[in-house]
Amino acid sequence: MTGAEAPLLAATPAGLARRWQLLAWLLLLALLAVVGAKLVQVSRGSATSGAAPLFTLASFDGTQHTLQAYRGKIVVVNFWASWCAPCAAEAADLEQTWQAYRERGVVFLGVDYVDTEPEARAFIELWQQTYPNGPDRGTVIAQAFRIRGVPETYIIDQRGQLQAPIIGPTNRAQLSAVLDRLLAQP
Amino acid sequence: MRFLRVPLQYALALVALAAALFWLPASVRAAAATPTDDEVNAVASQLYCPVCENVPLDVCGTQACSQWRAIIRQKLQAGWSASQIHAFFAEQYGTRVLASPPFAGASVLFWLVPLALLAAGTVLLVRTLRKPATAATGAAGPVSEAHAARMERELDDWR
């Protein structure tokens, strides 16, 4: 090829094209990774075992309840809402169980999920719940436990380990069975 | 003239009250009025039901949604704007209740990825549409041996 002749092929730098292709592939892979991570997170289901997620619940009376502060005690975490009929069905049993076990080092915490405060307070008053209850602001606690709905109840043992979650309404017999077993452990 | 003082004071007070009501800020007067269902639903349509998936709040029939709409009505009556109400719900229940994800944090991807894909698609489309015209121009007419040899040489260089 002489210097005066214009090149027949367009002056497409192959390296530049390859770099664009590489960038496009990297972006596509990054997007797939983000989507994949989200899918894995969604499909994991409720927290069932292992160390319980740490959380702080500000109860309706203004007290802060941190899970870490209850290490050495059994903690029953109940997710509920005033608009949830099955939550009303289990409310009396939860209170009775709390009354029966409170002197034995068992802590009950009610986590009010996507609810409105006046209705939540009315619910607590109606069912005369005396254990701490508070709103889950920003659904932070619900996301940590990966709950799928309400009611759900999680029992955390003295070492901070999750026991099998109770999905759906629970009752006194079911709770007592788990609590008695945990209290009997050395 | 002493007997006139008391009625005059009352009259002045009434005038002041009337003036205050007349010049009352519009937001305060609006706050006093009960918001209509349409106004409540306009705000609710930008929020999603916390219980059912993919159901906007304005058309949701659950008790939870009904309670949320009541809150919207209260907030509108108190003079809150739609964006203030949306921010309140996002703070209370998380950003997933918002119909439009916020342009912050990881949610930025929801806005940028479609735009990037659209831009990449447009570039690809334009390049694809241009190619046949170039090929047609290049294919016209017979090719001499010298020309073919030169093309082969340049192709080798290019590879």
Side-chain angles (χ1 to χ4, degrees):
Chain A
M1 181 168 61
T2 61
E5 283 179 321
L8 288 172
L9 291 170
T12 311
L16 192 66
R18 284 200 192 100
R19 256 178 268 156
W20 276 111
Q21 276 189 6
L22 187 67
L23 183 67
W25 277 111
L26 283 174
L27 283 174
L28 190 63
L29 286 174
L31 182 64
L32 284 173
V34 170
V35 173
K38 193 68 189 167
L39 279 174
V40 167
Q41 190 186 354
V42 169
S43 62
R44 273 196 301 174
S46 304
T48 52
S49 60
L54 299 177
F55 65 89
T56 300
L57 176 74
S59 59
F60 285 117
D61 64 6
T63 313
Q64 299 280 327
H65 300 270
T66 308
L67 185 62
Q68 273 176 312
Y70 295 122
R71 187 55 62 89
K73 293 183 174 184
I74 298 167
V75 183
V76 178
V77 182
N78 174 251
F79 289 89
W80 64 277
S82 68
W83 41 259
C84 153
C87 301
E90 67 171 12
D93 275 34
L94 281 163
E95 176 61 23
Q96 286 169 13
T97 315
W98 151 244
Q99 291 294 350
Y101 286 88
R102 61 185 296 185
E103 299 299 330
R104 299 170 68 185
V106 177
V107 176
F108 273 57
L109 294 174
V111 183
D112 185 24
Y113 176 71
V114 289
D115 209 349
T116 45
E117 193 170 327
E119 283 76 12
R121 285 181 183 275
F123 183 96
I124 292 167
E125 199 177 326
L126 176 69
W127 296 104
Q128 299 176 342
Q129 287 178 312
T130 56
Y131 58 85
N133 274 283
D136 183 12
R137 296 216 187 280
T139 65
V140 173
I141 307 172
Q143 285 179 56
F145 280 80
R146 303 195 298 273
I147 73 163
R148 292 298 180 92
V150 282
E152 284 189 15
T153 305
Y154 295 80
I155 300 176
I156 301 158
D157 70 14
Q158 298 92 326
R159 291 172 292 113
Q161 298 295 304
L162 275 171
Q163 302 299 302
I166 301 167
I167 310 297
T170 187
N171 54 53
R172 189 172 172 176
Q174 191 178 25
L175 289 169
S176 295
V178 181
L179 294 176
D180 287 340
R181 178 173 56 80
L182 291 175
L183 286 166
Q185 285 176 359
Chain B
M1 293 295 283
R2 187 182 170 82
F3 67 94
L4 281 175
R5 276 188 195 157
V6 173
L8 186 64
Q9 283 167 353
Y10 277 120
L12 283 172
L14 275 173
V15 169
L17 185 66
L21 283 172
F22 184 77
W23 278 294
L24 205 62
S27 60
V28 178
R29 272 181 283 161
T34 306
T36 63
D37 286 348
D38 284 348
E39 287 168 336
V40 171
N41 285 336
V43 178
S45 65
Q46 296 305 306
L47 295 166
Y48 271 75
C49 170
V51 189
C52 334
E53 282 192 6
N54 303 323
V55 179
L57 193 60
D58 57 331
V59 294
C60 171
T62 65
Q63 191 186 340
C65 290
S66 172
Q67 290 176 6
W68 279 27
R69 285 195 295 269
I71 289 184
I72 293 172
R73 194 180 298 278
Q74 286 170 12
K75 299 292 183 195
L76 285 173
Q77 197 158 9
W80 287 35
S81 67
S83 58
Q84 283 176 314
I85 296 171
H86 293 153
F88 167 79
F89 274 92
E91 187 196 344
Q92 292 288 313
Y93 309 111
T95 53
R96 63 181 177 162
V97 302
L98 298 174
S100 306
F103 195 80
S107 300
V108 167
L109 284 174
F110 291 115
W111 294 97
L112 294 185
V113 168
L115 287 175
L117 288 175
L118 189 68
T122 308
V123 169
L124 196 69
L125 184 70
V126 169
R127 288 181 66 155
T128 311
L129 289 174
R130 275 183 183 172
K131 265 185 184 170
T134 313
T137 312
V143 180
S144 67
E145 273 188 33
H147 192 86
R150 185 183 154 199
M151 188 167 261
E152 283 296 325
R153 205 168 53 243
E154 286 195 19
L155 269 171
D156 287 341
D157 290 344
W158 187 75
R159 283 182 195 126

